[in-house]
Amino acid sequence: MAVAGITKEVIEIPEGVQANVQDRTVTVKGPKGEQSRTFPVSRIILAKEGNAITLTAELPRRKDSALLGTFRGHIQNMLVGVSNGFVYKMKIVYSHFPVKAAAKEGYFQIDNFLGEKHPRIAQIMGDTKVTVKGDEVILEGSNKEHVGQSAANIEQATRIKGYDLRVFQDGIYIVSKGGVAE
């Protein structure tokens, strides 16, 4: 059942960030970088009005109202990312063999995990910057989805199979996530 009326979401653009809406593509630029994303749903109208981005659904269905919230969340993450950035922190934990980790161009390499001779590799997504300081791994970037997926890839690369998980608790684990970069 359609609800008569118009549902509208307004997203304020923060100071120091430039935004552009062309067709269904939103592009934002800020001090931490530039992001662009296409929203393919034609029932939701995207527009830039003054210093705000508006999302409008005419005669919205329940699904359209849910999509408005999703689109608003994606655009807000883009605005926060290009103005402040996102930081995920991970901790390297080992008790049996000392683990050596290094960030390479486009991937993260874990050596000597559980005494294995072959290194484990995790893909780094997008423009995510990874630094290793002792037993701490810090991931920074302007795209929250890329930073989060990179952290998940690193955590999954150190998954233990075939051992008792109560004894072998080695791995690289997410300690804090989604925090805004300083």
Side-chain angles (χ1 to χ4, degrees), residues 17-43:
V17 175
Q18 299 172 347
N20 186 24
V21 178
Q22 181 115 23
D23 294 327
R24 292 184 185 98
T25 302
V26 176
T27 305
V28 293
K29 293 180 188 176
K32 296 281 184 175
E34 179 179 343
Q35 288 187 45
S36 183
R37 185 174 192 133
T38 301
F39 298 95
V41 178
S42 62
R43 289 182 51 85

Side-chain angles (χ1 to χ4, degrees), residues 6-70:
I6 297 174
T7 303
K8 191 174 193 178
E9 293 277 349
V10 179
I11 305 162
E12 294 294 324
I13 300 169
E15 192 113 354
V17 175
Q18 299 172 347
N20 186 24
V21 178
Q22 181 115 23
D23 294 327
R24 292 184 185 98
T25 302
V26 176
T27 305
V28 293
K29 293 180 188 176
K32 296 281 184 175
E34 179 179 343
Q35 288 187 45
S36 183
R37 185 174 192 133
T38 301
F39 298 95
V41 178
S42 62
R43 289 182 51 85
I44 296 175
I45 301 162
L46 297 157
K48 182 179 178 201
E49 296 176 1
N51 198 30
I53 297 173
T54 60
L55 306 167
T56 309
E58 295 179 10
L59 300 173
R61 293 184 248 165
R62 185 180 180 125
K63 187 190 297 188
D64 295 337
S65 297
L67 277 173
L68 276 177
T70 301

Side-chain angles (χ1 to χ4, degrees), residues 90-94 99-102 108 131-138 172:
M90 304 182 80
K91 184 150 178 85
I92 300 172
V93 178
Y94 59 87
V99 175
K100 189 173 100 180
F108 188 78
T131 54
V132 180
K133 294 180 183 173
D135 67 344
E136 189 173 51
V137 179
I138 300 168
I172 302 176

Side-chain angles (χ1 to χ4, degrees), residues 148-173:
Q149 187 61 54
S150 298
N153 290 346
I154 292 170
E155 197 171 61
Q156 286 296 309
T158 59
R159 236 174 103 212
I160 298 174
K161 299 175 192 163
Y163 292 97
D164 187 352
L165 298 178
R166 296 169 296 180
V167 177
F168 291 87
Q169 296 180 355
D170 301 22
I172 302 176
Y173 300 104

